Amino acid sequence: MNKPELTADVIVLGAGPGGMAAVAAAAGAGASVIAVEARAHIGGNAVWSTGYLSFVDSTMQREQGIADSKELFVSDARRVFEQAGERYGLVWQEPLVRLWASESAETHRILVERGVRFSRFIPRPGLHSVDRMAATVDTWDFQRAFQPDFELPAVTTLLRTTAHRLLHDGGKVSGVIVTDADAGVGERVLHARNGVILATGGYQANPALRRRYQPAYLAEGPYLGVETSRGDGHLLGQAIGGDLINMGYLAPLVIVSSSLVEDAIAVNAAGRRFHDECGPYDERVEALLAQPDRRAHYVVDATVAAEKQALLEQMPRPARRADTREELAAVIGCPPQALVDTIARWNAMLREDGADDEFGRVVMPPGRRAIETPPFSAVEMLVGVNFSGGGFRVTEQMQVLDIFGDPIGGLYAAGDCVGALGPLADLGGMHICGGLTFGRLAGHSAANAEHATERRAAVFGSYMPDRIGDRMPIVDLGGAR
């Protein structure tokens, strides 16, 4: 038997960073909310992530004497975008980049106020001009920070529930059809008075969808993250005319959590380090592919393996362990003495508070702890994807635009369903903070939809001919210059 229909002011699809922030903002603005999440708990990829978030001109930066500004960030972002644009077809949306830069410090303030703890800055020289990327002490802080919002009387939370069709009546999105995992329930109709927010994450867990935008051999590559990042929101919005951009940005990277790689070194078949393990994502891929047989391993000790067991278990191939460095060398097929010497040099550099003269690595293990406690673990390095970059063009109110540049009534997007920030992934810290920041704005906009001004801003552009004048020239998409 079908369950009864439900109605609320706002429906939020997905409860990762974007969805959590949207629920909190909408409920905080006085709206009733239905939250729909495909998994058994909220948090999405954020709780399983490294937990690095970038902020611009945050309190944490100011307390440490770091001078930052929106203009400085936009300059960094434009440079990274232009570099990515040499490999992918991309659309630069500077108004959204500037909006994020303006709002990210408020996101930091809210997170700290809600109990999310940050320990230190992670340097990204050559990408961020100043230290912006902060490390979270415990990524489950994200879930704990927003769980109370999902327990408010005004919020109805449907877990293990999947949305599969938007209701689009009279030019406005008015609800969604969902199916939950309870046996025999069937379809359920949810109605939204104000609007629906798409916050279902990316599409990197969906090889069939990735094949539309990647060569097959890349589309089948491994992915590190939750299985529900399959593009549900992208397909729902596209079905009613939403304009997707930057969908081809599925940048290959070496599959590993940044938190794990902080404590690791990478060794090749000769038992030697061969690159900066914490460097830019594309440089890591190039370095691995240049190795004989494209074979290399991350190496950690027992202390790190125990502390970061969950991260090791997420790797595409299981870790291999040995009681000594020599035995580990035999397990991974490299010369024993070379591996022993490589680990010894690394440990000596850490103990002497020295610099990495071989590859210029600046991100060191917390406390500069060495690789010294047996047993030792090695996990194979493989190229895959962690992030998808594509999503919808949106207004500054997070309202989804159609291919003509017109807002779709009642439809908003947040997180990885927004296409503006995805190609900036190499900066680091953009996905979670982007989701939380744009989710908050989307929730506020949807809650106040009756007061929102639907605007077709020329800065967002359209690549389709005008509906009336079919010979209108193509409109400038505002690409980076």
Side-chain angles (χ1 to χ4, degrees), residues 5 50 66 116 119 137 151 154 158 163 303 370 378 393 427 444 460:
E5 299 181 3
T50 293
I66 299 170
V116 177
S119 60
V137 172
E151 298 169 357
L158 305 178
T303 300
R393 288 194 307 145
L427 282 169
H444 186 269
F460 296 104

Side-chain angles (χ1 to χ4, degrees), residues 189-258:
V189 179
L190 311 179
H191 299 281
R193 299 185 188 92
N194 291 12
V196 173
I197 300 174
L198 303 175
T200 56
Y203 46 96
Q204 58 270 47
N206 188 342
L209 183 54
R210 284 165 56 184
R211 278 196 295 271
R212 300 184 184 181
Y213 306 102
Q214 285 187 299
Y217 77 96
L218 289 177
E220 298 298 333
Y223 151 66
L224 184 64
V226 299
E227 76 287 352
T228 51
S229 293
R230 57 192 175 224
D232 290 1
H234 296 72
L235 296 174
L236 289 169
Q238 187 182 38
I240 61 168
D243 189 15
L244 292 169
I245 59 171
N246 300 332
M247 291 295 286
Y249 185 88
L250 288 137
L253 48 71
V254 180
I255 296 291
V256 67
S257 163
S258 295

Side-chain angles (χ1 to χ4, degrees), residues 22-36:
V23 168
S32 58
V33 181
I34 300 173
V36 177

